[in-house]
Amino acid sequence: MNISQNYVDQIIQKISTWARVNSPWAIHFNSGSCNGCDIEILATLTPHYDVERFGIKLRGSPRHADVLICTGPVTRQARDRLMRIYEQMPEPKFVIAVGSCGISGGVFQGCYNVEGHIDEVLPVDAFIPGCPPRPEAIIDGVIKLLTHIQNGTRPALVIKPGIKEAV
Amino acid sequence: MTPLTALLSIMFFPAGLTLILSGMLYEWADRKLVARFQNRIGPRWFQPLADTIKLLTKEEIKPQGLNYILFYGLPIVALTGALTAALYAPVLGLPPIYSFPGDLIVTLYLLSLLTMCTGLAGWNGSSRFSVIGATRSFTQLFAYEAPFLLALLGPAMAANSWVIKDVGVYAQTHWMIFTQPVGFIIALIGLMGKLELPPFDAPEAETEIVAGALTEYSGRGLALFHIGKSVELVVAISLVTAFYLGGIGNPFLFLLKTSVILLMMAMLQSILTRLRIDQTVGMWWRFGALLALLQFLVMVLLKGWLA
Ligand code: SF4
């Protein structure tokens, strides 16, 4: 009885992980970025890069989303909003920080109105470096996050996308 | 029909599991076609299934300040309505398993239940986006419901019956897309309005009101509404196909015909932009309803004249 129960649990776990990996719905929040990263994220969503083939979909409501894509440093004003949006998302949820500013504060480091980088406010699962990162890098970062969800491991601290420069 | 076969028919075939799975396949076909029209690769074939399972395994957040009976009950009622409608509809070209005099009207009401529930769910929400979405859902419901009803009453009138089965049998020999082309076009566009597909997606316009009436729903509730919508897609497409494109009959041919309708819907979706809510209402009442009524009048007169 106990063993079969365990078995059923494992199967359910497998199915839900499979579903989670194959349908990450994202929400995008700008907590103080210069807009460069946001434009790259929008470029990622255009038909040219077609992220729907991985099941990625941009949703407006945090209640529907699984992945919070943050850009930019966290300003004092945006801090509360960022945390509130994160708390409105249902479990299980993941955070991706896009751009150098999200990783370290970037060029905004030490500004009077900047609180710090995103990792100081939220538990970030994947960092995508670049100023701004190319759409290929963003897709690569998301896919790496998905592989880690699949394997059940937390991603390493910094994900370095090894993209070849498209000519 | 014994209770056991009735239970089986509700749980597995033609309602229930089969219908939900085929609804997902139709949804995938629709998304894939739109993607191909936009020169994209599009989602993989199991995408709607993965979406649904993921939503079902997610946490369901309980917003504050709502009526919880409505909050939890409405998704279930919506799905039940759509699944019940399938019992009277010629899904896959097979004759419906239940039928009684007047089941056409009942089915159409059951199909509106999903929109009603979505609207009520939004109305119940405490977020302003869901209230605006609910208002738009209801407004749009009043716009397309009457012309859509008239468009499906045309074939029923020609077949002299209010029973879906009889109309389907009559339509086997009378292709009503040729005798009532206006009705077919109105039924097709009404179908898109019913499913809130673009250009009629003002109720869930994500650039303006986040996700419309379902903004506050997460996890299970959202999943049930999703399933309900894909079931409704199958049922409504089967109804229109059976009425206008050669009735109930060979399942393979029927599948082909529904695919043609899906193709047309995907094309319209990708070439048209979203209408404002007042444009939607204006279009339906100024053109849709009038044209449908006109055709209805012509049919009444012809019938009287021939008789
Ligand atoms: S990483 Fe570069 S592009 Fe992105 S927000 Fe910072 S400065 Fe702007």
Side-chain angles (χ1 to χ4, degrees):
Chain A
M1 179 63 210
N2 218 351
I3 294 167
S4 66
Q5 186 68 35
N6 224 338
Y7 200 63
V8 171
D9 277 357
Q10 264 181 18
I11 289 178
I12 289 176
Q13 188 66 34
K14 273 222 170 88
I15 292 176
S16 58
T17 314
W18 170 82
R20 221 161 270 161
V21 168
N22 282 299
S23 125
W25 288 359
I27 180 173
H28 164 216
F29 184 73
N30 171 351
S31 59
S33 122
C34 76
N35 243 341
C37 289
D38 306 286
I39 289 170
E40 292 304 310
I41 287 175
L42 291 187
T44 315
L45 296 168
T46 51
H48 183 78
Y49 293 101
D50 187 26
V51 284
E52 205 187 2
R53 62 206 153 107
F54 307 116
I56 303 171
K57 221 167 150 191
L58 193 72
R59 302 296 295 200
S61 165
R63 297 248 195 258
H64 301 181
D66 311 294
V67 180
L68 174 63
I69 300 181
C70 310
T71 55
V74 185
T75 60
R76 282 190 213 291
Q77 213 174 21
R79 187 172 180 273
D80 277 359
R81 274 89 173 174
L82 180 62
M83 284 165 74
R84 224 179 300 159
I85 283 191
Y86 180 72
E87 271 151 23
Q88 279 181 4
M89 289 166 58
E91 291 283 354
K93 49 192 171 188
F94 308 94
V95 181
I96 297 180
V98 173
S100 320
C101 296
I103 295 173
S104 66
V107 289
F108 299 107
Q109 211 168 26
C111 272
Y112 68 95
N113 58 347
V114 166
E115 186 97 8
H117 45 92
I118 291 167
D119 208 15
E120 283 174 9
V121 183
L122 302 179
V124 180
D125 296 280
F127 297 92
I128 301 172
C131 178
R134 300 177 60 91
E136 288 96 332
I138 297 176
I139 295 175
D140 191 62
V142 175
I143 298 300
K144 285 212 167 115
L145 171 70
L146 296 182
T147 359
H148 282 286
I149 298 172
Q150 173 120 52
N151 300 338
T153 49
R154 289 278 288 195
L157 200 63
V158 178
I159 291 175
K160 256 205 173 142
I163 21 153
K164 296 181 203 89
E165 198 65 27
V167 185
Chain B
M1 188 166 271
T2 63
L4 186 68
T5 51
L7 193 70
L8 281 181
S9 69
I10 290 175
M11 297 272 282
F12 297 108
F13 188 83
L17 223 54
T18 325
L19 198 64
I20 290 172
L21 286 179
S22 55
M24 284 173 185
L25 277 182
Y26 273 91
E27 193 195 330
W28 168 75
D30 181 51
R31 277 167 70 175
K32 182 85 179 173
L33 283 172
V34 172
R36 289 311 296 154
F37 274 119
Q38 294 173 345
N39 212 357
R40 294 188 282 131
I41 292 175
R44 297 157 294 182
W45 64 271
F46 52 77
Q47 196 58 60
L49 183 68
D51 287 350
T52 312
I53 294 179
K54 180 208 70 182
L55 285 176
L56 283 174
T57 54
K58 282 203 90 160
E59 179 194 3
E60 189 170 24
I61 293 177
K62 207 166 99 176
Q64 281 181 345
L66 313 171
N67 182 337
Y68 291 112
I69 298 175
L70 279 181
F71 183 76
Y72 289 117
L74 280 171
I76 299 172
V77 174
L79 181 58
T80 318
L83 284 177
T84 316
L87 294 179
Y88 305 109
V91 180
L92 267 181
L94 304 170
I97 46 171
Y98 289 103
S99 64
F100 57 87
D103 60 358
L104 176 59
I105 302 294
V106 174
T107 311
L108 285 174
Y109 272 104
L110 283 173
L111 283 181
S112 327
L113 204 61
L114 181 77
T115 321
M116 295 287 289
C117 286
T118 315
L120 277 178
W123 201 255
N124 187 28
S126 50
S127 141
R128 75 199 81 164
F129 300 117
S130 54
V131 174
I132 295 174
T135 321
R136 289 190 185 180
S137 282
F138 282 135
T139 317
Q140 191 162 303
L141 179 77
F142 289 120
Y144 64 70
E145 198 64 13
F148 187 68
L149 190 74
L150 282 175
L152 286 188
L153 284 194
M157 181 96 160
N160 246 337
S161 162
W162 292 95
V163 186
I164 293 176
K165 205 178 194 167
D166 297 352
V167 182
V169 171
Y170 174 83
Q172 278 171 345
T173 47
H174 304 71
W175 279 53
M176 272 175 274
I177 180 172
F178 300 119
T179 48
Q180 305 176 23
V182 179
F184 175 69
I185 292 169
I186 291 170
L188 186 68
I189 300 177
L191 199 63
M192 297 176 69
K194 229 177 174 29
L195 298 164
E196 298 185 353
L197 299 171
F200 303 112
D201 59 346
E204 46 184 80
E206 54 207 23
T207 40
E208 307 158 27
I209 49 171
V210 186
L214 300 182
T215 303
E216 290 290 338
Y217 272 86
S218 62
R220 200 182 44 144
L222 190 63
L224 290 185
F225 273 118
H226 262 271
I227 301 173
K229 204 166 217 178
S230 39
V231 167
E232 182 165 305
L233 174 71
V234 183
V235 175
I237 278 196
S238 313
L239 262 186
V240 173
T241 313
F243 275 30
Y244 280 98
L245 291 175
I248 46 189
N250 187 342
F252 286 105
L253 264 179
F254 197 85
L255 215 60
L256 213 66
K257 290 172 196 163
T258 50
S259 316
V260 170
I261 290 198
L262 209 62
L263 186 72
M264 284 199 271
M265 276 175 28
M267 193 177 71
L268 287 176
Q269 266 180 66
S270 40
I271 60 176
L272 296 174
T273 52
R274 184 185 302 140
L275 292 172
R276 257 184 357 241
I277 192 72
D278 59 316
Q279 288 169 332
T280 310
V281 176
M283 193 195 86
W284 277 117
W285 282 111
R286 258 185 247 139
F287 304 108
L290 279 187
L291 282 176
L293 264 181
L294 208 66
Q295 178 182 283
F296 210 62
L297 199 70
V298 170
M299 284 191 52
V300 171
L301 290 179
L302 266 182
K303 252 188 130 79
W305 185 57
L306 287 177

